[in-house]
């Protein structure tokens, strides 16, 4: 049997990700244009579903900070939400104490408003969001991740465990919350792009179920927090009445902007 015939789907995926990495990285230059598209489509975005005033906590990507999520939070505020930054400075990775600080921030917001908090996490911030929802499901209304790498081979859990073994530095993720790819026990949406130049798209696909879904968009990784199609999908998800979550509807004109993630 030839070596090619012995390749598993996972091995083929890994080969494809490596082979296309330079091309995908070049596509990240689109982020500037996506921000421009956000400004140009502001009038159209105001037609997205409006919110009910519940609190939303936005967690930034790796090496991102609250400034990087300002356009997204401004949009959410305009749509009727109490949008809040994480207030932990630059996201330097899942260091010791980060999850505890995020949990305190979540608890503070939940107590301030007397309502469950929706979590939006961009890239690595999405991993924090999913784990927070596992730690405190009674405080979380739903989770939305943007290009977050919680699945794939090797998984982030395996990479981080190897890092801890090599350095002895505990990176702060809870040991009792199970595999990262396991969806939290709250409604969960993963928004991703197959042309993401940083995170392979298949590592951002969740196992779809009664309260877990994937929404595919056309976006760069760095543009996920400003891309108009992403913002519309986020607004659509957040606007659902609490306890009445339903999967994203792609019918009609939406099919032009949101590819079928199961194709």
């Amino acid at each position: 049997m030839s070596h090619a015939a012995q390749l598993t789907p996972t091995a083929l995926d890994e080969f494809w990700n490596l082979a296309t990495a330079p091309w995908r990285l070049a596509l990240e230059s689109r982020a500037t244009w996506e921000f421009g598209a956000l400004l140009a489509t502001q009038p159209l975005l105001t037609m997205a579903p409006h919110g009910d005033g519940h609190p939303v906590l936005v967690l930034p990507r790796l090496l991102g900070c609250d400034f990087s999520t300002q356009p997204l939070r401004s949009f959410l505020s305009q749509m009727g939400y109490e949008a809040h930054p994480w207030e932990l400075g630059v996201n330097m990775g899942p260091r010791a104490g980060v999850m505890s600080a995020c949990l305190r921030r979540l608890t503070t917001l939940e107590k301030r408003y007397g309502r469950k908090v929706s979590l939006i996490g961009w890239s690595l911030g999405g991993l924090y969001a999913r784990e927070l929802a596992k730690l405190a499901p009674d405080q979380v209304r739903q989770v939305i991740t943007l290009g977050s790498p919680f699945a794939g081979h090797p998984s982030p859990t395996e990479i981080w465990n190897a890092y801890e073994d090599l350095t002895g530095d505990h990176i702060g993720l809870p040991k009792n919350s199970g595999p990262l790819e396991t969806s939290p026990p709250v409604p969960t949406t993963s928004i991703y792009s197959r042309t993401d130049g940083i995170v392979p798209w298949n590592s951002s696909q969740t196992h779809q179920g009664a309260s877990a879904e994937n929404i595919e968009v056309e976006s760069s990784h760095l543009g996920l927090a400003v891309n108009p199609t992403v913002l519309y999908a986020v607004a659509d998800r957040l606007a659902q009445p609490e306890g009445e979550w339903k999967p994203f509807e792609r019918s009609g004109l939406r099919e032009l902007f949101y590819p079928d993630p199961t194709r």
Side-chain angles (χ1 to χ4, degrees):
M1 181 179 295
S2 67
H3 291 297
Q6 297 177 25
L7 287 176
T8 65
T10 297
L12 289 172
D13 288 341
E14 292 301 315
F15 174 78
W16 176 254
N17 289 334
L18 289 172
T20 60
W23 172 76
R24 289 188 291 108
L25 191 59
L27 290 175
E28 288 304 303
S29 61
R30 292 173 294 165
T32 302
W33 297 100
E34 288 168 310
F35 182 73
L38 170 62
L39 299 178
T41 57
Q42 283 286 355
L44 291 175
L45 283 173
T46 60
M47 300 171 63
H50 283 59
D52 60 2
H54 79 267
V56 180
L57 177 60
V58 183
L59 308 173
R61 60 178 171 81
L62 179 67
L63 301 182
C65 60
D66 292 330
F67 179 77
S68 68
T69 64
Q70 180 62 49
L72 172 57
R73 288 185 287 109
S74 294
F75 169 72
L76 294 177
S77 295
Q78 294 170 9
M79 301 306 291
Y81 299 97
E82 296 293 340
H84 292 272
W86 82 327
E87 295 187 348
L88 295 178
V90 177
N91 186 350
M92 300 299 292
R95 299 156 295 157
V98 170
M99 288 301 299
S100 297
C102 287
L103 185 58
R104 288 194 297 271
R105 182 80 170 124
L106 169 63
T107 300
T108 296
L109 293 176
E110 191 264 344
K111 289 183 177 179
R112 179 191 303 180
Y113 293 98
R115 305 180 68 179
K116 291 184 178 181
V117 181
S118 288
L119 302 178
I120 301 177
W122 182 10
S123 195
L124 180 60
L127 301 188
Y128 299 164
R130 288 170 64 93
E131 296 308 305
L132 282 173
K134 296 175 187 178
L135 290 171
D138 292 340
Q139 299 179 32
V140 177
R141 178 161 167 166
Q142 67 173 299
V143 172
I144 302 173
T145 60
L146 311 178
S148 298
F150 50 79
H153 302 276
S155 71
T157 300
E158 292 168 330
I159 295 173
W160 293 340
N161 285 342
Y163 172 82
E164 288 184 356
D165 291 340
L166 288 172
T167 66
D169 180 21
H170 177 53
I171 58 179
L173 287 175
K175 296 291 189 181
N176 59 350
S177 60
L180 293 178
E181 58 266 27
T182 300
S183 295
V186 300
T188 303
T189 300
S190 173
I191 300 177
Y192 69 91
S193 169
R194 295 200 187 206
T195 56
D196 187 316
I198 295 177
V199 173
W201 66 271
N202 47 8
S203 69
S204 297
Q205 281 196 315
T206 191
H207 297 293
Q208 297 198 135
S211 61
E213 66 176 347
N214 296 299
I215 299 177
E216 184 179 338
V217 296
E218 182 62 43
S219 175
S220 66
H221 186 78
L222 297 177
L224 282 167
V226 296
N227 186 294
T229 60
V230 174
L231 268 57
Y232 182 90
V234 168
D236 180 90
R237 301 291 78 204
L238 291 177
Q240 298 177 99
E242 186 173 355
E244 299 180 22
W245 187 92
K246 296 180 181 179
F248 185 68
E249 179 59 58
R250 294 179 49 256
S251 62
L253 288 176
R254 292 187 183 186
E255 291 186 1
L256 299 176
F257 301 99
Y258 301 97
D260 182 358
T262 64
R263 72 185 188 283

